[in-house]
Amino acid sequence: MYQQAKYDEPLLNEIKGEEEKEISVDVPDKLKRSSLNIPNLEEWQVVRHYTRLSQMNYGVDINTYPLGSCTMKYNPKLNEEIAKWFSYLHPYQEESTVQGALQIMYELQEMLKKITDMDDFTLQPAAGAHGEFTGMLLVRAYHEYKGELEKRRNVLLPDSAHGTNPASAAMAGFNVIEIPSNEKGMVDLEALEAATDDTTAAFMITNPNTLGIFEEEILEIAKIMHKNGALLYYDGANLNAIMGITSPGIMGFDIVHLNLHKTFSTPHGGGGPGSGPVGVRGELVDFLPVPIVRYDGEKYYLDYDVKHTIGKVRSFYGNFGVMVKAWAYIKRLGGEGLKNATIRAVLNSNYLKERIKGYYELPHKDLRKHEFVVKPKNARALDVAKRLLDFGVHAPTVYFPLIVHEALMIEPTESENKETLDKFADIMIQIAKEAEENPKLLEEAPHNTAIKRVDDVLAARKPVLSWKDKR
Ligand SMILES: *Cc1c(COP(=O)(O)O)cnc(C)c1O
């Protein structure tokens, strides 16, 4: 994988060469269709059909979306409008003809540097997990340069880590070692210290962690890593927990990825597109992917001259449309606005937690940041999630983080007001009461949706992955 990232130019040329050959395909008669079964419908019938389907769908434009860790905040339409202005650009255009686009990328890099206190950024990675993988390639390249990659084979992670973290570390060729959490839901410092030595490449952590709890010992954690020559990696997918208040740089991190499609209000879900920029500090700037957008005082340009670059990690320059939307969001809010977004995200999460905590178990007692985790008292997490659908509300994240059994992970986000939070709390409280009085109601939910309870086991064993006209 690492080698591939470095050598994608020759590969690209090879593919281009093949495309130039003429392609002719002989289709055997038995594979040819003699007629096509196209529905004979009028326009209004098609419009009504698709409008009805769209009404059966759910999104942040319809109602609150408390999907923990996914940060499903409202995406202002202004961002879409501005992104549209750039939709006619082509990635092969001359630099002199796309100065505005390059300026946006440059300014975004600069703003992200300020928000995170990192020294430099790449905007290439196409998602959070892709950012993590890029970060892990940087960890590799750094230790390789120092002549220590042979021995530094281990990446440490807390047991509360987001699932993509261990996957990214493993894909970059590292062994993954899990560090247990203590009774407060934070990294067990003694266990971390015992596991860290000159075989450690990096510690990967998100702060606040997936329980929404801030790791208070983060400066001590940074000290332990750096004393041992290891790097500290920050999973900054949900930066609305801290931005404007503190930063990965202040906390002592060396590498950070951000999810523009969560923190900076660009639409996501349904598979993309996303953007997972990676920021680094100190010596690590010499390893970033190329190109990086630079400004020489007169013009913006793509800089391919990075001393020990790991190469490209994405075709062209990343998901540009997503960058424009995030840029527009940051510009519109400004520093104070971003800080207020954080304050409100944390306030909303704690308000909701306080309203429902008498009716659900709260595994850890302290203040939360942008999200919190509860357990139902008399029901399964899945049944509560399904029953929520009957009230027209999207379910929270369930069964994650893994260290809390029957977890409901709730992230209201900053874009909800007190009215929608209260409405959601009332529904959660009613469901808790139903679980006690009439558990069947939950077990058989949802009752009001177009599709009733699906058979999860059957769906996994015999998946139907495509639609076919069976007439
Ligand atoms: C969403 C998320 C990721 C992964 O981001 P993708 O864009 O879905 O790949 C990683 N870490 C945390 C904490 C997340 O919430």
Side-chain angles (χ1 to χ4, degrees):
M1 271 299 169
Y2 174 56
Q3 290 300 327
Q4 220 170 342
K6 229 170 182 171
Y7 295 125
D8 76 346
E9 281 302 317
L11 190 72
L12 204 68
N13 291 337
E14 204 177 298
I15 293 166
K16 268 193 221 155
E18 271 177 19
E19 265 174 7
E20 276 159 24
K21 281 182 224 151
E22 213 170 285
I23 298 167
S24 81
V25 184
D26 266 333
V27 181
D29 279 344
K30 64 174 180 182
L31 292 181
K32 286 183 187 164
R33 262 186 308 228
S34 55
S35 71
L36 200 54
N37 191 9
I38 296 174
N40 188 8
L41 297 167
E42 293 179 55
E43 183 182 298
W44 59 267
Q45 290 175 300
V46 176
V47 168
R48 283 181 186 171
H49 172 70
Y50 283 107
T51 304
R52 193 166 47 77
L53 283 185
S54 77
Q55 287 170 341
M56 286 160 69
N57 208 347
Y58 195 95
V60 277
D61 288 351
I62 291 191
N63 206 344
T64 171
Y65 209 136
L67 196 61
S69 207
C70 295
T71 313
M72 303 300 281
K73 63 170 85 167
Y74 177 73
N75 307 302
K77 299 295 170 261
L78 177 71
N79 304 349
E80 301 299 318
E81 191 58 34
I82 294 173
K84 210 165 69 184
W85 298 345
F86 295 87
S87 57
Y88 56 86
L89 295 184
H90 193 281
Y92 278 137
Q93 264 177 258
E94 276 282 323
E95 275 175 17
S96 63
T97 68
V98 288
Q99 284 293 300
L102 292 175
Q103 182 177 348
I104 281 179
M105 291 170 76
Y106 179 82
E107 288 184 6
L108 183 60
Q109 286 168 194
E110 293 301 304
M111 295 188 298
L112 297 181
K113 276 156 73 173
K114 217 171 194 173
I115 291 168
T116 57
D117 288 308
M118 290 286 125
D119 292 333
D120 216 345
F121 256 92
T122 171
L123 302 176
Q124 269 180 44
H130 193 192
E132 292 165 20
F133 180 60
T134 303
M136 286 298 110
L137 293 185
L138 292 169
V139 170
R140 254 191 97 114
Y142 172 82
H143 289 311
E144 190 172 39
Y145 178 73
K146 301 253 160 189
E148 295 193 344
L149 187 59
E150 293 285 304
K151 70 174 183 206
R152 293 195 184 268
R153 303 307 306 164
N154 300 329
V155 167
L156 316 180
L157 293 142
D159 57 5
S160 60
H162 192 269
T164 49
N165 292 182
S168 301
M171 256 186 85
F174 291 109
N175 304 318
V176 174
I177 296 177
E178 202 176 87
I179 306 297
S181 301
N182 60 26
E183 71 288 346
K184 285 165 102 181
M186 294 183 227
V187 174
D188 183 329
L189 224 56
E190 261 172 49
L192 180 69
E193 194 142 26
T196 312
D197 54 24
D198 64 357
T199 65
T200 310
F203 184 43
M204 244 183 142
I205 180 174
T206 178
N207 194 20
N209 63 31
T210 58
L211 296 164
I213 296 173
F214 191 82
E215 300 278 356
E216 289 166 6
E217 308 277 11
I218 192 62
L219 294 175
E220 191 54 37
I221 289 173
K223 224 182 262 169
I224 295 171
M225 285 308 123
H226 295 148
K227 196 172 66 192
N228 284 283
L231 297 168
L232 191 56
Y233 183 96
Y234 187 80
D235 176 340
N238 315 117
L239 212 70
N240 56 337
I242 62 153
M243 69 184 166
I245 308 286
T246 182
S247 75
I250 292 172
M251 293 185 235
F253 283 88
D254 303 293
I255 308 178
V256 45
H257 89 261
L258 305 173
N259 279 25
L260 299 188
H261 51 288
K262 287 179 184 168
T263 302
F264 300 103
S265 89
T266 78
H268 60 113
S275 179
V278 172
V280 294
R281 223 163 46 154
E283 291 173 84
L284 285 155
V285 299
D286 291 336
F287 298 88
L288 281 178
V290 284
I292 297 173
V293 185
R294 304 271 183 226
Y295 181 57
D296 66 9
E298 276 176 25
K299 59 176 193 315
Y300 298 91
Y301 63 99
L302 294 165
D303 183 9
Y304 285 85
D305 190 19
V306 176
K307 229 191 282 175
H308 312 297
T309 180
I310 60 165
K312 256 171 168 269
V313 295
R314 175 70 161 74
S315 55
F316 301 116
Y317 321 109
N319 282 333
F320 177 67
V322 182
M323 295 173 207
V324 178
K325 293 175 203 182
W327 173 88
Y329 178 75
I330 297 171
K331 282 280 202 192
R332 187 187 190 187
L333 261 61
E336 269 312 294
L338 292 178
K339 187 176 166 183
N340 284 337
T342 297
I343 290 169
R344 185 147 162 178
V346 173
L347 177 65
N348 280 0
S349 151
N350 282 287
Y351 176 73
L352 203 53
K353 171 188 67 118
E354 288 302 310
R355 275 224 49 198
I356 69 170
K357 76 174 182 190
Y359 303 87
Y360 291 82
E361 253 179 71
L362 194 64
H364 307 90
K365 299 281 178 253
D366 297 312
L367 267 179
R368 293 309 139 88
K369 292 293 176 241
H370 62 306
E371 65 193 5
F372 63 98
V373 174
V374 292
K375 294 158 63 153
K377 284 183 176 165
N378 295 302
R380 293 172 63 219
L382 185 73
D383 296 339
V384 173
K386 295 291 184 193
R387 182 66 181 141
L388 271 168
L389 304 181
D390 281 335
F391 294 90
V393 177
H394 197 284
T397 299
V398 291
Y399 299 102
F400 185 81
L402 303 174
I403 51 175
V404 176
H405 295 292
E406 299 295 331
L408 289 163
M409 185 198 216
I410 301 172
E411 180 183 7
T413 82
E414 63 273 25
S415 52
E416 298 306 318
N417 62 12
K418 185 165 177 296
E419 190 186 348
T420 56
L421 294 176
D422 279 332
K423 215 153 78 183
F424 179 68
D426 291 342
I427 295 168
M428 287 294 284
I429 291 165
Q430 181 177 333
I431 292 175
K433 287 178 183 159
E434 287 174 356
E436 225 169 285
E437 292 155 12
N438 186 4
K440 256 206 145 37
L441 196 59
L442 270 68
E443 283 155 23
E444 289 168 5
H447 305 274
N448 305 336
T449 52
I451 293 175
K452 302 288 177 284
R453 177 78 64 120
V454 288
D455 184 336
D456 293 339
V457 178
L458 187 70
R461 295 264 160 81
K462 290 187 177 159
V464 181
L465 300 175
S466 67
W467 180 86
K468 260 206 173 96
D469 184 357
K470 301 255 170 52
R471 285 171 296 171

